[in-house]
Amino acid sequence: MNILLYFTFNNLMHVMDIAIIWFILYKLIQFVEGTRALQILFGVGFVILVKVVSWYLGLVTLSWIMDQIITWAPIAVVVIFQQEIRRGLESLGRRLVIRRARVDNSKEHQLIKSLDDALQYMSKRRIGALITIKRDGSLDEYIKTGIKLDAYITGQLLINTFIPNTPLHDGAVIIDDDRIAVAAAYLPLSESTRIPKELGTRHRAAVGISEASDAITVVVSEETGEISITQGGDLLRNMDQDSYMNFFEHQFLVQIDEENDKHWWQKIGGRSK
């Protein structure tokens, strides 16, 4: 009876082991879907398959070559996947960090109003725009590529920045906290195959910065006036005023109810002061 229970427990552990591995592989493929990383991931899988087959058939030379590739592959993976790895680690870090609830949304309301004013004006007149709003992750390396403004956020300033044939209209505006940090900044271009071919450089840059950081980016198409938003590698198209306002309010406004959602150790710490 004890032996039967032992084998049953072992079988259960094996099933759990396989299920966890499949879940990790599923999440990994889902994470890199539509990016160059997916093709490289299949390439790595092919190398491992060749290694197993060559070892089983006794192909010594081929097996040795595969061993060398597998030995150096981790370094190549870090170099090639640096943006994806950084995005994943930042996402994990944001989940682990305890964020202090804010109940004063005055800056956020001003940001949303300024964006709304600018988007309505530019969309109707088909003025191309690219606006990136910093969240928790750092955008310093991209801010350095722009022209410093350090200006208070207003719809009028955003509109004037993107007026065609002016010195600052080409590139991205980056908003950091409650200030327009820079204009004419360069953003990384996404290589995702999910981006429709009819979309241009602005949209690829918007998706690219969303893949490399947790920033939210707004795009206005100069061809159609269409408003799009990118976040976490996703591209939301054809956003009308109601839809983007709901999106902004959900992303930027912190509800007062969050004060009641503090972790128990935060509450204890607050009472002990």
Side-chain angles (χ1 to χ4, degrees):
M1 187 66 181
N2 290 335
I3 296 177
L4 181 61
L5 290 175
Y6 174 77
F7 281 110
T8 302
F9 179 77
N10 274 353
N11 291 337
L12 179 60
M13 291 300 101
H14 290 321
V15 170
M16 289 182 61
D17 193 20
I18 294 172
I20 291 172
I21 291 174
W22 275 111
F23 178 76
I24 293 174
L25 288 175
Y26 169 75
K27 286 297 183 181
L28 181 60
I29 293 175
Q30 188 180 50
F31 181 71
V32 301
E33 183 182 8
T35 69
R36 58 176 179 166
L38 182 59
Q39 299 174 354
I40 298 174
L41 188 62
F42 284 135
V44 172
F46 177 75
V47 169
I48 295 175
L49 178 62
V50 171
K51 163 61 183 175
V52 173
V53 173
S54 63
W55 171 80
Y56 182 76
L57 297 178
L59 303 176
V60 179
T61 304
L62 183 58
S63 179
W64 180 85
I65 293 174
M66 293 299 104
D67 283 338
Q68 300 308 306
I69 294 176
I70 293 173
T71 299
W72 293 101
I75 298 176
V77 167
V78 171
V79 174
I80 296 171
F81 292 173
Q82 55 179 314
Q83 288 190 355
E84 288 82 359
I85 292 173
R86 181 173 61 183
R87 182 179 61 166
L89 292 177
E90 286 182 350
S91 177
L92 178 62
R94 287 194 301 273
R95 294 178 182 179
L96 296 177
V97 173
I98 301 170
R99 297 179 59 186
R100 181 173 58 87
R102 296 174 298 169
V103 295
D104 182 8
N105 285 315
S106 58
K107 293 180 181 179
E108 288 75 12
H109 281 298
Q110 176 60 37
L111 170 62
I112 293 173
K113 182 180 184 306
S114 298
L115 289 172
D116 182 38
D117 292 343
L119 293 176
Q120 285 298 301
Y121 184 95
M122 293 187 291
S123 177
K124 291 176 182 178
R125 293 161 180 80
R126 298 186 179 181
I127 299 174
L130 182 61
I131 304 170
T132 295
I133 301 107
K134 176 182 174 295
R135 303 305 301 280
D136 296 327
S138 174
L139 295 179
D140 288 347
E141 62 180 297
Y142 308 109
I143 290 175
K144 291 177 182 177
T145 67
I147 299 173
K148 185 177 180 179
L149 293 182
D150 190 24
Y152 186 67
I153 303 171
T154 65
Q156 292 79 3
L157 181 55
L158 290 173
I159 292 169
N160 288 337
T161 302
F162 289 107
I163 293 296
N165 301 320
T166 55
L168 300 180
H169 87 283
D170 192 18
V173 160
I174 298 180
I175 295 175
D176 185 353
D177 196 11
D178 61 337
R179 311 284 290 180
I180 300 178
V182 295
Y186 293 99
L187 303 181
L189 299 182
S190 173
E191 297 183 16
S192 172
T193 58
R194 294 180 297 177
I195 302 175
K197 293 183 178 179
E198 68 268 15
L199 300 181
T201 303
R202 279 195 180 94
H203 291 83
R204 287 203 168 270
V207 175
I209 191 64
S210 74
E211 292 172 342
S213 71
D214 64 338
I216 292 173
T217 300
V218 187
V219 187
V220 179
S221 171
E222 63 182 10
E223 286 80 17
T224 64
E226 175 188 300
I227 298 172
S228 303
I229 296 176
T230 65
Q231 183 185 36
D234 294 325
L235 174 63
L236 308 176
R237 299 186 61 186
N238 297 311
M239 304 286 284
D240 58 20
Q241 187 177 28
D242 289 337
S243 59
Y244 72 66
M245 287 294 285
N246 287 334
F247 178 88
F248 291 152
E249 290 173 359
H250 176 73
Q251 292 295 324
F252 300 136
L253 298 183
V254 180
Q255 302 300 322
I256 296 178
D257 291 341
E258 285 193 13
E259 186 70 26
N260 297 323
D261 294 333
K262 288 184 178 180
H263 295 283
W264 62 271
W265 57 82
Q266 287 180 286
K267 295 180 179 179
I268 294 175
R271 286 197 297 265
S272 63
K273 292 182 179 180

